[in-house]
């Protein structure tokens, strides 16, 4: 058996520097710096030679160090909740718009063992210059405190009187579209699964009650307490199944609760939409799947994300701007979980 090699390892290879690139091209380090900062002062030919030399040497500019030296991180912190499909859609829209405007994105998630305060403090400790809050249920005082520390925008929730910008869909209008459609199909017994403290839930609840009254169905209106998660839909389904008779339609406060309801109904052998119609809210990517095919109210995740990024970067550039709210239009998307009542 050969003896192990006891010789000390050699020094790690030295990383190439900007000075190495300058020496390879035969120009000053300052000129190379101009090229990598995309500043005027170098010809196109020189820029190409510098980039080619950097590639040959394996040199990569240290953007983090450059930003640190300038006192900027150019990073947007995004607060998300795990297991929320629509928030995943929003994150997918945030990245390209932030990058287009020259910013990086850092995510911090809440979970049953990790509250919003801890998640936000983690973002701020990593020197995020601004916050984008997805589906936050923090109280007004805490939101206002965050908004006064760094530019902050909420997606999906409106709360006047605080130093936080907001972008959301016209919630009550979206719910009204859903109720109008169900009534046109012939439904009267339309139940609403409430979203609890979830983003937009209060407006959706108010919109449901107002739409039922407008159709003369105020006595039929019924709100089942819930939340914006799958378990709330399962619990609501089990509650309805335990009663003497089912309603003819259920409007859930979001798609995730609607999917929990569909799961409970499916296990009990209830035919959707033959026996009961189900409508969600969000139009998350899961609602498109053929096995789900959920009728839902569409929120445009990409546009919500784009507006949120622009609002928060606008406030970074001009902190004196007044608090702004952007409201987008919802759209009912009819799929396979709705039909006339039996």
């Amino acid at each position: 058996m050969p003896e192990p090699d006891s010789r000390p390892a050699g020094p790690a290879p030295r990383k190439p520097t900007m000075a190495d690139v300058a020496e390879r091209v035969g120009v000053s380090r300052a000129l190379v710096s101009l090229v990598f900062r995309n500043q005027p002062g170098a010809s196109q030919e020189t820029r190409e030679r510098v980039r080619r030399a950097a590639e040959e040497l394996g040199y990569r500019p240290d953007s983090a160090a450059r930003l640190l030296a300038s006192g900027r991180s150019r990073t947007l912190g995004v607060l998300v909740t795990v297991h929320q499909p629509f928030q995943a859609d929003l994150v997918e829209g945030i990245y390209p718009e932030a990058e287009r405007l020259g910013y990086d994105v850092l995510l911090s998630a809440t979970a049953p063992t990790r509250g919003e305060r801890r998640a936000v403090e983690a973002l701020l400790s990593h020197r995020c210059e601004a916050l984008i809050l997805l589906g936050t249920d923090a109280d007004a005082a805490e939101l206002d405190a965050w908004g006064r520390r760094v530019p902050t925008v909420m997606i999906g929730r409106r709360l006047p009187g605080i130093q936080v910008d907001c972008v959301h869909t016209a919630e009550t209008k979206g719910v009204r579209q859903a109720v109008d459609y169900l009534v046109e199909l012939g439904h009267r017994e339309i139940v609403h699964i409430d979203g609890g403290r979830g983003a937009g839930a209060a407006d959706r609840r108010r919109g449901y009650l107002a739409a039922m009254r407008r159709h003369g169905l105020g006595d039929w209106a019924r709100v089942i307490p819930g939340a914006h998660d799958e378990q709330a839909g399962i619990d609501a389904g089990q509650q309805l199944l335990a009663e003497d008779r089912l309603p003819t339609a259920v409007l859930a406060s979001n798609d995730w609760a609607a999917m929990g309801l569909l799961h409970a109904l499916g296990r009990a052998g209830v035919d959707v939409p033959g026996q009961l119609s189900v409508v969600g809210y969000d139009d998350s990517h899961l609602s498109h799947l053929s096995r789900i095919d959920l009728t839902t109210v569409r929120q445009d995740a990409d546009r919500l994300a784009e507006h949120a990024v622009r609002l928060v970067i606008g406030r970074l550039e001009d902190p004196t701007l007044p608090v702004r709210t952007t409201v987008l239009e919802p759209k009912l998307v009819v799929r396979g979980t709705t039909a006339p009542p039996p």
Side-chain angles (χ1 to χ4, degrees), residues 302-313:
D302 287 342
R303 289 191 63 214
L304 286 167
E306 289 167 6
H307 280 283
V309 171
R310 292 173 198 165
L311 282 174
V312 83
I313 290 177

Side-chain angles (χ1 to χ4, degrees), residues 155-302:
I155 297 182
R157 186 180 176 194
R158 60 185 180 91
L159 199 59
I162 60 174
Q163 192 61 35
V164 175
D165 295 318
C166 172
V167 55
H168 67 94
T169 301
E171 312 285 359
T172 56
K173 185 174 182 179
V175 169
R176 185 171 69 244
Q177 290 176 8
V179 173
D180 289 351
Y181 168 67
L182 291 171
V183 171
E184 287 172 9
L185 288 176
H187 293 277
R188 298 293 179 270
E189 297 176 76
I190 305 169
V191 171
H192 178 57
I193 301 175
D194 184 37
R197 297 184 63 186
D203 285 339
R204 295 172 197 178
R205 179 174 60 250
R206 283 191 291 267
Y208 160 77
L209 293 171
M212 292 292 281
R213 288 193 298 267
R214 191 167 61 87
H215 285 288
L217 301 174
D219 291 341
W220 293 91
R222 179 185 177 189
V223 176
I224 297 178
H228 281 171
D229 58 44
E230 186 179 21
Q231 189 60 49
I234 293 173
D235 292 344
Q238 292 173 343
Q239 179 178 335
L240 293 172
L241 289 164
E243 297 173 358
D244 292 338
R245 59 194 297 268
L246 290 170
T248 63
V250 177
L251 168 61
S253 189
N254 79 339
D255 288 351
W256 206 222
M259 291 174 196
L261 174 64
L262 290 172
H263 175 73
L265 296 174
R267 293 196 65 176
V270 175
D271 178 24
V272 175
Q275 293 174 261
L276 187 149
S277 289
V278 176
V279 180
Y281 199 111
D282 281 340
D283 195 29
S284 59
H285 64 277
L286 292 179
S287 66
H288 306 182
L289 300 177
S290 59
R291 289 180 62 86
I292 298 171
D293 200 29
L294 179 67
T295 294
T296 184
V297 178
R298 183 170 193 261
Q299 299 195 84
D300 191 327
D302 287 342

Side-chain angles (χ1 to χ4, degrees), residues 322-339:
V323 174
R324 297 157 297 165
T325 297
T326 300
V327 183
L328 303 183
E329 288 294 304
K331 180 182 179 182
L332 180 68
V333 181
V334 176
R335 297 195 180 98
T337 57
T338 47

